[in-house]
Amino acid sequence: MPAVVALVFFVVAALVGLLALALVDFRTVPPVSGTCALILTLAALAVAVLR
């Protein structure tokens, strides 16, 4: 259960960060969101391997 809470927290924090970035400079959102997706994918892979 604590892992689910951490997952929700980090996903919400990433989305809020992307929203704030979009408010500042919308042109940077696609490269940053791609990097964020890559990081989340690697994190999910690491969790799957460790389980």
Side-chain angles (χ1 to χ4, degrees), residues 4-42:
V4 173
V5 173
L7 173 70
V8 169
F9 173 76
F10 287 123
V11 169
V12 169
L15 291 175
V16 169
L18 284 174
L19 180 63
L21 181 64
L23 293 175
V24 173
D25 186 12
F26 192 74
R27 293 175 298 153
T28 59
V29 172
V32 172
S33 63
T35 304
C36 184
L38 176 65
I39 291 169
L40 288 175
T41 302
L42 292 175

